[in-house]
Amino acid sequence: MSSASFELHGQTAVITMNNPPVNGLGFDLRREIVEGLARAEADADVKALVLIGSPRAFSGGADIREFGSPKSTAEPSLNTVIRALEGAEKPVVAAIGGACMGGGLELAMACHYRVAVRGAQIALPEVKLGLMPGAGGTQRLPRLIGAEAALNMIVSGETVPSEKLAGTALFDAMIEGDLLEGALAFAGKVADARPLKRVRDIKLALPNAEGFFQFARNTVGAAAKNFPAPLKCVDAVAAAVALPFEEGMRLERELFLQLMQSSESRALRHAFFAERAAAKIPDVPEDTPLRKIGRIAVIGAGTMGSGITANFLSAGIPVTLLEAKKEALDRGQAVIRGIYEASAKKGRLTAQQVGERMAFLKPTQSYNDLKDADMVIEAVFEDMAVKEAVFRKLDETMKPGAILASNTSTLDLNKIAAFTKRPGDVIGTHFFSPANVMKLLEVVRGEKTANDVLATVMAMAKKIKKTAVVSGVCDGFIGNRMVEQYLRQALFLLEEGATPRQVDRAVEKWGMAMGPFRMSDLAGNDIGWAIRKRRYREQPDMKYSRIADRLCEQGRFGQKTGLGWYRYEAGRRDAIPDLAVEKMVVDYSKEVGVQRRGIDDEEIVQRLIFALVNEGAAILKEGIASRASDIDMVYLTGYGFPVYRGGPMFYADEFGLYNVVASMQRFAANPHGDPAFWRPAPLLAGLASEGRRFN
Ligand SMILES: NC(=O)c1ccc[n+]([C@@H]2O[C@H](COP(=O)([O-])OP(=O)(O)OC[C@H]3O[C@@H](n4cnc5c(N)ncnc54)[C@H](O)[C@@H]3O)[C@@H](O)[C@H]2O)c1
């Protein structure tokens, strides 16, 4: 199918871009625009040209399906198309409706005129991928809407509705009614106007430019400290003011290429594609028919059940919430209302919207009320006997075809499925706490989970705005299984010479939202304690520092008890270092005969992150995760991993797997290193020796 069509309307030629869904500027479309333009130029009867897209999009920019392929840079490149349009000898009118973003907006700005309907979405979003516009956007947009407004759009990447830009030189006319008709009428009016208007010829003036850009650099630099792109955007816009057009274009190109190579942009682009990839399940066809999900039921109105319920109410999906105890049911409802009232206080919801959301909630204590639910999510105590009773009851109660999901974090989903006569309908939906806030949803695929159940839950996740990642069944699934090794390593660091504060600071400086000790204090140290007690029984050979048990024996469970690895004062959430803990750590080293040594931040970070990577490699090899990028998505959306480092597996790739293994060998040889811990997983060892990557 052709990516663009060419038609004559009287004396105006119309090129209609037709590359769904958003007219991405792929190779075929670029070529056909240039060909259409040449045809119009060669036809003496043609006086003007209109370039138009679909109602959904003029053009959303580069075609991401071609990213990284030779087609993405093949000639005619976007810059070639832009030069051809701008240099045309007949007026070219861009007719803009829908998305007009990135390369699409750059294309439009190369036309002699632009007309738009209201509601078109205008943006230069490249900064969100750690890049900047690379086809004249930083030089032309300031000439059309002014340096300050252009800088705001380019540095933020945010979308601005076309009507807000009406009155600037970006649009020569706003069209009411049919866009093509309006554009043709406009083209008729300007067909003979000469000289042709070119954006590059506009003189851009900005009084006190130096002061303005200095101020912009200070603010942008402070806000984007780990991201180089926003400051380079400022430099490029400053060049639009200070330099002749061609020199500005050269600088834009140079900065763009620098950013393309930057590790931050590579990581952001990886995350962008990883999110899309995670939605695809290799052995589940994309056209798998979905089950209908109209009403949800949630069992258990505790911490997780309340947060889970709120997700659905917010998406306008009715929920029946079942509890064993009346007080717990009332408390759960109050928590949900509290979530909405807090949003209302911040001005994000109106009182009426709070009421509407609460009206979708049907609290109950009777299983009879679950009969009309299409899917049930169990969030009762983490105890197999309790889960068994609940799933047996659900099997009796729920209508045929209903999806039965468990929010378990540590129990075997296959066993839970076996409590029912319909294990194909059983699936895990592992939400993260607070469930109404955290983006991540691990979707746990049991041995018998049916494909359409999996596909339906993945689609449902999108509706409630979660990033869903499929995990196979194993202890801890993807995220918590890896984090256990990270926390184990954090304890060894204490034993060998670090303090909780030093460990947390080192990884937080590196970019983690929260170090392992602050994280444990937040989650509750008793949770890890319970897991360790199980490990001591089940895997007695696994070396574990017992230092965290000492802490728990003192009842220091973290924020909820006011004391943990840190101290917490009433009404404040900040972690206050506690000398008593530091003394306990030092005493413990002495007790186990370890000569404490100074450990630098680099070693701390590498030991923690490579602990994740090694377990990630095992998870990948076992098929618990389908792809390395899925593991990265879990960490980016559920564990506060810095997005500019792309996730643990991507970070290891960029660090070089050979270098990762070399570091692990060094750690194994430390005075108190644990060679078993640092034995590279076979997949990691294999890829490292072949010079390959996970991603
Ligand atoms: N808290 C977390 O951070 C977290 C994160 C992910 C997953 N999970 C998992 O979510 C589940 C719930 O955890 P939580 O933290 O919300 O626990 P919670 O103790 O806060 O809530 C459990 C609720 O279930 C109710 N309940 C118990 N038995 C019931 C029954 N037979 N029928 C109906 N209601 C019953 C209890 O009254 C209680 O209100 C567990 O499987 C847990 O492992 C918890």
Side-chain angles (χ1 to χ4, degrees), residues 521 524-526 529 548-566 584:
D521 273 358
N525 293 315
D526 48 326
W529 197 18
D549 301 355
R550 296 291 162 82
L551 191 83
C552 291
E553 282 154 15
Q554 297 171 24
R556 300 188 68 129
F557 292 162
Q559 281 192 20
K560 60 186 169 190
T561 56
L563 291 174
W565 293 105
Y566 299 89
M584 188 193 88

Side-chain angles (χ1 to χ4, degrees), residues 98-372:
C100 179
M101 299 185 177
L105 179 55
E106 291 179 303
L107 189 73
M109 291 191 292
C111 297
H112 304 112
Y113 300 95
R114 284 154 301 281
V115 299
V117 290
R118 294 171 70 84
Q121 302 126 41
I122 313 298
L124 288 174
E126 290 82 351
V127 73
K128 294 187 174 178
L129 294 181
L131 297 171
M132 58 187 258
T138 65
Q139 303 304 298
R140 289 194 180 88
L141 191 62
R143 285 176 161 80
L144 289 168
I145 67 171
E148 193 172 346
L151 186 70
N152 284 339
M153 280 183 69
I154 294 169
V155 165
S156 71
E158 293 305 327
T159 302
V160 179
S162 50
E163 58 271 23
K164 272 210 168 156
L165 295 163
T168 69
L170 182 58
F171 299 125
D172 297 281
M174 296 301 287
I175 305 291
E176 304 289 337
D178 185 76
L179 176 59
L180 179 59
E181 270 176 32
L184 286 169
F186 183 89
K189 277 194 240 156
V190 298
D192 296 320
R194 295 293 183 280
L196 288 170
K197 281 175 35 168
R198 300 186 313 171
V199 176
R200 61 159 65 219
D201 300 331
I202 297 173
K203 291 273 163 295
L204 178 59
L206 181 69
N208 192 18
E210 208 169 300
F212 170 74
F213 285 110
Q214 194 48 50
F215 174 74
R217 281 193 185 93
N218 291 346
T219 348
V220 170
K225 60 179 183 327
N226 294 307
F227 297 88
L231 269 182
K232 294 220 191 288
C233 292
V234 179
D235 290 345
V237 175
V241 176
L243 302 178
F245 182 81
E246 281 302 340
E247 279 178 49
M249 287 295 282
R250 264 198 300 280
L251 183 80
E252 178 193 85
R253 193 80 213 140
E254 198 178 299
L255 297 176
F256 175 81
L257 291 174
Q258 283 173 18
L259 287 173
M260 264 314 240
Q261 297 301 324
S262 71
S263 60
E264 293 82 1
S265 173
R266 291 159 68 97
L268 289 167
R269 280 177 280 148
H270 169 68
F272 177 83
F273 288 108
E275 180 156 19
R276 277 152 189 77
K280 302 193 170 87
I281 309 159
D283 60 334
V284 178
E286 283 193 45
D287 57 355
T288 303
L290 303 183
R291 297 191 189 182
K292 178 189 145 265
I293 303 289
R295 174 172 283 276
I296 297 279
V298 173
I299 317 286
T303 310
M304 295 306 289
S306 313
I308 292 170
T309 300
N311 283 312
F312 291 97
L313 302 180
S314 302
I317 302 172
V319 180
T320 309
L321 177 60
L322 182 142
E323 246 295 338
K325 288 179 276 174
K326 174 81 172 72
E327 315 83 79
L329 189 56
D330 293 343
R331 206 172 38 239
Q333 270 175 275
V335 167
I336 296 166
R337 182 174 283 282
I339 290 171
Y340 293 135
E341 280 174 352
S343 292
K345 246 192 204 152
K346 290 183 195 141
R348 292 192 199 134
L349 287 181
T350 62
Q352 190 189 342
Q353 285 168 319
V354 174
E356 282 163 9
R357 290 180 183 200
M358 290 308 288
F360 282 122
L361 178 64
K362 183 168 148 193
T364 184
Q365 290 189 265
S366 161
Y367 275 85
N368 266 335
D369 288 334
L370 303 191
K371 289 204 164 110
D372 59 343

Side-chain angles (χ1 to χ4, degrees), residues 299-305 322-325 328 379-382 386-387 390 407-409 430-431 433:
I299 317 286
T303 310
M304 295 306 289
L322 182 142
E323 246 295 338
K325 288 179 276 174
V380 302
F381 298 137
E382 186 74 340
V386 182
K387 305 265 191 214
V390 169
N407 188 47
T408 182
S409 13
H430 187 222
F431 286 85
S433 183

Side-chain angles (χ1 to χ4, degrees), residues 630-651:
D630 282 5
I631 298 177
D632 288 332
M633 245 14 250
V634 165
Y635 269 76
L636 292 175
T637 56
Y639 291 83
F641 201 96
V643 65
Y644 56 87
R645 300 201 189 271
M649 309 311 273
F650 182 79
Y651 179 72

